[in-house]
Amino acid sequence: MKKILLCGLFIVFSFIGMAQKITLINPNSGETIPGVTLTSENPKASAVTNAVGEVDISVFKTANKIIIRSLGFETKSMSYYEMNTSAKKVTLTPSNFNLDEVVVSATRWRQAANDIPSKIISISAKEVALQNPQTAADLLGISGKVFIQKSQQGGGSPMIRGFATNRLIYTLDGVRMNTAIFRSGNIQNVINIDPFATQNTEVFFGPGSVIYGSDAIGGVMSFQTLTSQLSLTDKPLITGNAVSRYATANNERTGHFDVNIGLKKWAFVTSFSAWDYDHLRQGVNGPNEYLKPIYVKRIDSIDRIITQDDPLLQVPSAYSQINLMQKVRFKLSDKWDFQYGFHYSETSPYGRYDRHNRYRNSTLRYAEWNYGPQLWLMNNLSVTHNGMNGLYDELTLRLAHQRFEESRIDRSLNKDDRSTQKEAVNALSANIDFAKSISEKNTIYYGVEWVTNEVSSQGRITDISKGITVNGPSRYPKSTWSSYAAYLNDEWRLNKKFTIQSGVRYNQFELSSNFSNNLPYYPFPFTSANINNGALAGSIGGIYRPTEKWVIKVNAGTAFRSPNIDDVGKVFDSEPGAVTIPNPNLKAEYAYNFDVGFAKVFGNSIKLDLTGYYTLLENALVRRNFQLNGQDSIFYSGIMSQVQAIQNAAVANVYGVQFGFEAKLNGGFSFTTDLNYQKGEEELDDGSLSASSHAAPFFGVSRMKYQTEKFSLELNCQYQGEQSFNNLAVSEQSKDEIYAKDKNGNNYAPGWYTLNVRAMYRLTDWLTLTSGIENITDQRYRPYSSGISGAGRNFVMALKARF
């Protein structure tokens, strides 16, 4: 009898062990569903289906409620017992709308979007496949909610809610990508990220400093790359993709492949992408001021002005890029998961097109103005532990090393001296994030963070006629920037309809700069600058759900930006009659934000989404008169000069509205619109007021779609409103090289639109063809504040193989 009982127990437990693999199915098509998220609060656990729709549910043992979510399907709730006895298959019902998709950017942990008071959007890999963005900047732009500025083809600087550059945060796989040399001017670092290797992208709107620290004033852009997927059977899980793409406007030639090899405990994913772009052709119909039919070419040691055969080509704008990613995963047990990621990106040198458009004495000012190769490397190790103890339910440790290299090369027309400035940043970071369910209604997220940046900068001057290179002034002093922080975020679900989230973070930051390497070029009365200060940020918000189809959100929060090396490096803005010195008393800029929004689904056919916000920025960094040793003027470069310093002395404010509309029509048709209006005002160095330079004019996108099981077709219209001369920021009004002229001869940004059509057809189970025509009417347009025009009529074709 004992042997029979033991044998029976062995069979039962063997069955349970085998049954822990569940497959998620779309009942309409019979296909499996990859990327489905499963979460539970007790125990605190989460899992995601792999490329073939399979998931191991062993981490949910004893769970009475497992929430199953996937974009395009109704949310489903099941117990572990129900899932474990469901014949290994669970079906999800397709849905037109979903208000509670899973996001990770709010706390670095998976949460339902309708439990978060801030506005968050997701850009899925499926949408990226249809839209075919060329860069990660373009990927953000397809959302219709992020404005993209470009100074050259090899770049893209996002603007969110009137903020940009060093007042926004980029993260990749939870690791901060902002460096201590992020400037207030437009930056191009987002192109380091490979759209093909991106599994999901989220944009968190508004203050995010509680979780992400300095710079998270306007928003957070969170990129999650491909995850190494384990096999849940005895056979290896081998999946992958190969993509080839061509576009006519810039003669684009792009190739990509990725492959995943998954065993039971080990998994590997490799991704490689290469892009090659020729000079970008702009459209026929538009302002003549955008045409530059000439460029400089060095011939027989003489700079010569060359007239282009095709005046629509924007020369120089060509560039190329490669990206490599390698990930290794080791799942020791149900409780321990180790993941290592290596990322590498490098561009070719490329011209900054707007600077090549500058004139002086009725001719081009520069013979050269280029960015050198932009290089980014990251090593990232993450360790996740499901502890289920008194301290935490889940823990994630992230250790990362990054290296950034960039350079600027310029030479004036008919001059022999070429100036080169090269910067390198070594960034180290460590994050420990905890999640703990205090009860079924209360979850806290807390953690600590350490970040340090080592900045080195070199200057060289080369006489190109003699081939002699000597040292020259560097862009930045040799510096170290460090940040230490602790945070706590509390989610309290009072009942099924009402949730409150609040958080607090304290951040200490240190900065140390040594100017001795530049004393031969700038005779400053100082050799170093040191800052040691702190910042406190907090947020509180509420979510009210009157029904499952209606969500109302209110949120108030603060954010900060601590002074970085670029702020201190502005000592080189010194000019005749004035000298700018470091200010060791600099504090963080502070933003105070309030926003309110709602989303409502009417029936099963219409969804409205509306958010309004207001942000006040105080202690903004500006240059003002200062004193050194009690004196307001000193001798500098042989003349009496006014002493100035960067100070916390300015204010700015931004307000706006974000609107979204979706309608599901009969016969597979749908219509969507995203509209954005923002207005900003900022205080200048002299105390006067100006329109905000990073508050884009009204912009949006409208889309009409038709979709069947194998075929997708979209006609869309992207548009931007006019920014008149009087509404331009003062700093923008004199930039002749990037704006058109109004009837009074003043610079302004004209409104524009483009009509675009895209199609995607699944030829077989493994082969998909994507094609499109962008800017069908061949408009010559230039997004606000951009130094290069968008593509003219552009034919795009891509072929994707999946295995």
Side-chain angles (χ1 to χ4, degrees), residues 118 161 204-209 216-219 555 557-559 591-593 595 615:
S118 298
R161 289 190 173 185
F204 177 104
F205 293 91
S209 285
I217 292 178
N555 188 57
T558 63
Y592 302 87
N593 177 84
D595 56 67
T615 305

Side-chain angles (χ1 to χ4, degrees), residues 294-309:
I294 58 175
Y295 65 95
V296 178
K297 187 175 182 179
R298 187 86 169 168
I299 302 175
D300 297 329
S301 301
I302 299 174
D303 291 333
R304 301 186 185 277
I305 305 294
I306 306 298
T307 301
Q308 297 175 194
D309 295 330

Side-chain angles (χ1 to χ4, degrees), residues 209-349:
S209 285
V210 168
I211 302 299
Y212 295 99
S214 178
D215 305 357
I217 292 178
V220 179
M221 292 157 284
S222 174
F223 299 85
Q224 291 91 47
T225 58
L226 299 173
T227 300
S228 307
Q229 298 180 355
L230 299 164
S231 173
L232 301 181
T233 68
D234 291 331
K235 295 181 179 180
L237 174 66
I238 301 176
T239 60
N241 301 278
V243 180
S244 179
R245 186 173 66 209
Y246 177 77
T248 59
N250 54 5
N251 196 26
E252 177 199 6
R253 298 171 297 280
T254 290
H256 164 82
F257 80 88
D258 63 78
V259 60
N260 181 95
I261 301 175
L263 308 176
K264 281 193 171 182
K265 289 185 176 295
W266 289 89
F268 311 86
V269 62
T270 302
S271 172
F272 177 80
S273 303
W275 300 264
D276 187 73
Y277 304 110
D278 206 339
H279 303 302
L280 180 63
R281 181 189 181 276
Q282 57 187 324
V284 171
N285 306 301
N288 290 330
E289 291 86 358
Y290 294 164
L291 296 175
K292 183 181 76 72
I294 58 175
Y295 65 95
V296 178
K297 187 175 182 179
R298 187 86 169 168
I299 302 175
D300 297 329
S301 301
I302 299 174
D303 291 333
R304 301 186 185 277
I305 305 294
I306 306 298
T307 301
Q308 297 175 194
D309 295 330
D310 183 355
L312 298 179
L313 283 180
Q314 300 177 92
V315 181
S317 60
Y319 87 105
S320 59
Q321 180 173 338
I322 61 169
N323 273 63
L324 172 67
M325 182 186 77
Q326 178 63 57
K327 286 190 172 184
V328 180
R329 181 180 181 183
F330 174 57
K331 191 168 185 180
L332 179 64
S333 65
D334 292 341
K335 292 186 176 182
W336 287 99
D337 195 354
F338 298 80
Q339 298 190 46
Y340 166 76
F342 171 79
H343 302 264
Y344 181 83
S345 173
E346 184 175 1
T347 71
S348 66

